[in-house]
């Protein structure tokens, strides 16, 4: 790893009323901008180059020795420095004006000029005759409710709000990240991302006040049940209020302004639908998910859309929908729940593969943190192969055809996945390295000294435990990133281990629950830990952007909030500061060279999976399911039938209507994909889909004449059965 730079110089940009120099943000007036066509604006071919400019120091003439005390040196310095400053300003102006000219003037073809200033995202303006609005550092943003904020982005990023084309993909978050309408190159571009956790999948430690209002709630299932009964306080509409207010447009703008370039957005399956026996707020979050995706587009942020919840629960954690059992591919209802899961993955894949969304959502995490130790490695491999083939039959194969498919390491360690589905088309390995949940309390101060000891042992541990594994996986598996990590080097934080666990607020945790107690030394130690983690992981998403206040209006899990760390000084203001941290700590790791095997990034061979692997895992459902009673006959496992209408995801609506030339899609990319959705077989009784581990197995098929291929969602699935 290269040594870490001490500071970063930015390409200076220009404002409308001042000369182009190194003190002012980029400004482009409407008279400088030609018109543009939808989806093809702001082409910027130099996006991958760094904005860093080497400092130029005057030196002696060839062969001349000049001492610091020499009169000649002083006179020469007095003459040379202004000249060099002038030349530097000219070079900087050229570095900005030339790209801006070609970015904006040569590649815009809209019928109306682009204007600067107070770009409004008010839906009432969409489809008007106004031209697209552009803003860089220092510009004013007007939100849909009429409020304003100043966009702060010292890194050369700019936003675009185009009323006539809401799918304009020309924005970029910073100068070293390609705009959305240019290709992201894995191995060359680096993911510096943050999760928007707790927005659409509620977690007690992220939104503690919601759960404190209902002390018996331990997960979104129980919270929804209690809220629904509490009609006097708004019932389930309280959750919609959370969707409306927890994350705002300014949050997304601040993420871009922090030098970040991706967000990971966890979503629940009930954005699509829920079944009658589930208490969740059905479909209401979907328009708000679209709102976040549109904000991400506006500020040039790419999105890793993560399906965080699965019917029956894939891990038993409170963020899977319901705390407790694992009923996905496990237990009597395991196969049936997997049918529903495949159906929801299919619906999301259809939506985000549409041309209007593929640039904004280049990665689809199809299942968060499946507990492989419980479900089984062979079973998960069989499911992932089924999901891979289903998605690629929708999108087509090869680069540019649909999103990358992200899967989690299942807490098995990255080395367990080496050579996984060799020849598959664009699968990413997602790992979530945490110290907080390793079974140790880790409540010693993080800052114990200076220099290499500024963060105690934790920065060094982050480098030594994570760097080699991540780099090795880039070769042994393919594209690998850390979908989650945090500053939580211990498990201190209100509800961090669940509502029912009090260890995380024990007296030994008091310091870590209240950041107002942290001095500069501790903050420096935390920042060193963050930088070491970022350097070790290379491509990462911090968990999470924001922690909501508890009932006493304090942030009681501050180690987990990127936003709070920026505000109070323990998160780096520029993620590039991380480069070289591990080397500076004396930890070296073999650096990945940045070149993947062609199939891993959609090149030649993508989709041609090793026949041996297909033979081993191509049978679906898996030939063995865990969580059944001894001697159970697996052919009697309940399944669903594919005879229900597909609950497709609708596109956003725009008022007034858009120009006829703008296509918004219908939520379904592949018109030839016409199979129906899973539903219960009429007249058959099913066990509780969320509580069916080790329940008695059915003893006969239901109906008795059911075909062994009753389910079209899962090929060759056993028929639906009757409970005993």
């Amino acid at each position: 790893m290269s040594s870490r730079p001490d500071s970063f110089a930015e390409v200076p940009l220009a404002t409308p009323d001042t000369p182009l120099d190194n003190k002012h943000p980029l400004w482009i007036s409407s008279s400088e901008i030609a018109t543009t066509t939808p989806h093809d604006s702001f082409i910027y071919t130099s996006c991958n180059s760094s904005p860093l400019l080497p400092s130029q120091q005057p030196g002696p003439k060839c062969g001349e020795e000049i001492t610091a005390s020499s009169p000649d040196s002083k006179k020469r310095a007095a003459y040379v420095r202004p000249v060099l400053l002038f030349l530097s300003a000219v070079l900087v102006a050229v570095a900005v004006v030339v790209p801006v000219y070609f970015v904006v003037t040569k590649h815009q073809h809209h019928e109306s000029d682009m204007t600067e200033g107070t770009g409004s995202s008010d839906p009432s303006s969409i489809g008007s005759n106004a031209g697209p609005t552009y803003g860089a550092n220092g510009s004013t943003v007007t939100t849909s409710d009429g409020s304003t904020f100043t966009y702060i982005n010292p890194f050369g990023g700019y936003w675009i709000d185009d009323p006539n084309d809401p799918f304009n993909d020309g924005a970029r978050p910073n100068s070293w990240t390609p705009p959305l309408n240019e290709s992201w190159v894995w191995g060359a571009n680096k993911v510096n991302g943050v999760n928007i956790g707790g927005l659409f999948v509620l977690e007690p430690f992220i939104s503690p006040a919601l759960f404190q209002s209902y002390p018996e709630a331990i997960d979104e299932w129980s919270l929804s049940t209690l809220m629904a009964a509490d009609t006097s306080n708004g019932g389930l509409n309280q959750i919609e209020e959370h969707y409306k207010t927890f994350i705002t447009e300014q949050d997304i703008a601040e993420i871009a302004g922090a030098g970040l370039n991706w967000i990971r957005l966890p979503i629940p399956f009930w954005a699509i639908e829920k079944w009658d026996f589930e208490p969740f707020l059905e479909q209401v979050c979907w328009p708000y998910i679209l709102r976040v995706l549109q904000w991400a587009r506006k500020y040039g942020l790419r999105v890793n859309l993560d399906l965080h919840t699965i019917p029956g629960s894939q891990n038993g954690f409170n963020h899977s929908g319901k705390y407790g059992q694992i009923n996905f591919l496990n237990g009597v209802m395991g196969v049936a729940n997997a049918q529903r899961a495949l159906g929801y993955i299919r619906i999301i894949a259809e939506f985000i593969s549409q041309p209007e969304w593929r640039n904004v959502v280049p990665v689809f995490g199809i299942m968060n943190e499946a507990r492989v130790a419980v479900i089984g490695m062979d079973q998960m491999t069989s499911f992932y192969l089924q999901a891979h083939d289903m998605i690629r039959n929708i999108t087509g194969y090869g680069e540019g055809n649909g999103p990358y498919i992200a899967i989690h390491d299942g807490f098995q360690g990255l080395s367990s996945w080496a050579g996984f589905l060799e020849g598959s088309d664009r699968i990413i390995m997602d790992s979530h390295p945490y110290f907080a949940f390793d079974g140790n309390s880790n409540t010693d101060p993080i800052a114990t000294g200076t220099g290499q000891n500024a963060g105690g042992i934790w920065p060094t541990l982050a480098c030594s435990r994570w760097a080699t594994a991540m780099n090795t996986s880039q070769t042994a598996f393919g594209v690998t990133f850390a979908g989650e990590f945090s500053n939580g080097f211990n498990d201190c934080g209100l509800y961090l281990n669940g509502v029912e666990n009090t260890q995380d607020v024990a007296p030994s945790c008091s310091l870590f629950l209240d950041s107002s107690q942290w001095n500069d030394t501790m903050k420096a130690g935390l920042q060193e830990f963050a930088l070491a983690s970022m350097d070790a992981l290379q491509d990462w998403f911090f968990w999470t952007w924001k922690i909501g206040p508890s009932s006493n209006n304090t942030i009681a899990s501050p180690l987990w909030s990127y936003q709070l760390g920026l505000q109070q000084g323990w998160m780096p203001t520029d993620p590039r500061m991380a480069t070289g941290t591990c080397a500076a700590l004396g930890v070296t790791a073999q650096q990945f060279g940045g070149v993947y095997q062609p199939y891993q990034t959609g090149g030649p061979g993508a989709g041609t999976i090793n026949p041996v692997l297909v033979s081993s895992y191509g049978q679906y459902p898996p030939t063995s399911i865990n969580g059944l009673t001894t001697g159970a006959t697996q052919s009697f496992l309940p399944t669903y039938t594919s005879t229900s209408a597909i609950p497709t995801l609708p596109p956003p609506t725009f008022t007034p209507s858009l120009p006829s030339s703008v296509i918004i899609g219908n939520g379904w990319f592949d018109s030839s994909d016409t199979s129906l959705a899973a539903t219960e077989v009429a007249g058959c009784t099913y066990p509780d889909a969320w509580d069916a581990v080790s329940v008695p197995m059915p003893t006969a098929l239901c109906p008795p004449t059911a075909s062994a291929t009753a389910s079209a969602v899962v090929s060759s699935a056993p028929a639906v059965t009757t409970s005993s």
Side-chain angles (χ1 to χ4, degrees), residues 562-629:
Y562 201 110
Q563 182 187 56
L564 189 66
L566 285 173
Q567 293 169 348
Q568 299 191 5
W570 66 82
M571 289 302 290
T573 55
D574 185 336
R576 295 173 298 168
M577 294 167 59
T579 303
T581 299
C582 289
L585 292 170
V587 179
T588 58
Q590 182 66 42
Q591 188 72 32
F592 172 61
V595 179
Y596 295 99
Q597 295 185 56
Y599 78 85
Q600 294 169 339
T601 55
T608 308
I609 298 177
N610 186 326
V612 175
L613 298 174
V614 174
S615 175
S616 298
Y617 302 109
Q619 174 66 36
Y620 192 87
T623 56
S624 175
I625 297 293
N626 294 326
L628 304 178
T629 55

Side-chain angles (χ1 to χ4, degrees), residues 106-131:
K106 303 298 276 187
H107 294 279
Q108 306 307 312
H109 306 288
H110 262 305
E111 294 180 357
S112 56
D113 286 342
M114 180 175 289
T115 58
E116 58 80 14
T118 57
S120 173
S121 58
D122 184 349
S124 65
S125 69
I126 296 177
S128 70
N129 292 325

Side-chain angles (χ1 to χ4, degrees), residues 323-338:
Y323 177 80
Q325 291 187 2
I326 299 171
N327 288 276
F328 165 80
L329 276 187
N330 186 60
V332 173
M333 288 298 290
V335 171
N337 282 321

Side-chain angles (χ1 to χ4, degrees), residues 44-179:
Y44 195 108
T45 58
S46 60
C47 63
N48 295 330
S49 61
S50 170
L52 306 186
L53 296 175
S55 59
Q56 300 292 327
Q57 299 296 331
K61 295 179 181 179
C62 182
E64 179 182 5
E65 181 178 356
I66 300 179
T67 65
S69 59
S70 167
D72 286 344
S73 71
K74 295 177 182 178
K75 286 191 288 184
R76 184 173 288 107
Y79 172 76
V80 170
R81 286 172 185 163
V83 173
L84 288 173
L85 288 172
F86 173 77
L87 291 175
S88 297
V90 171
L91 289 172
V92 164
V94 170
V96 173
V97 171
V98 170
V100 166
Y101 175 79
F102 283 100
V103 167
V104 180
T105 305
K106 303 298 276 187
H107 294 279
Q108 306 307 312
H109 306 288
H110 262 305
E111 294 180 357
S112 56
D113 286 342
M114 180 175 289
T115 58
E116 58 80 14
T118 57
S120 173
S121 58
D122 184 349
S124 65
S125 69
I126 296 177
S128 70
N129 292 325
T133 307
Y134 164 97
N137 189 29
S139 60
T140 300
V141 177
T142 303
T143 67
S144 59
D145 64 4
S147 62
T148 62
F149 64 87
T150 301
Y151 181 56
I152 304 299
N153 186 324
F155 303 121
Y158 50 80
W159 55 265
I160 296 175
D161 188 21
D162 189 344
N164 285 319
D165 181 12
F167 305 114
N168 187 314
D169 290 339
R172 69 188 315 170
N174 50 56
S175 59
W176 59 89
T177 298

Side-chain angles (χ1 to χ4, degrees), residues 45 47-48 176-180 182-191 261-262 302 362 399 404 428 474 479 539 592-596 600-601:
T45 58
C47 63
N48 295 330
W176 59 89
T177 298
L180 296 178
E182 289 188 21
S183 296
W184 176 272
V185 181
W186 294 99
N189 303 120
K190 292 296 184 183
V191 174
N261 53 16
W262 280 74
R302 288 169 171 82
E399 182 180 6
Y404 277 69
I428 291 176
Q474 305 286 1
V479 179
D539 294 277
F592 172 61
V595 179
Y596 295 99
Q600 294 169 339
T601 55

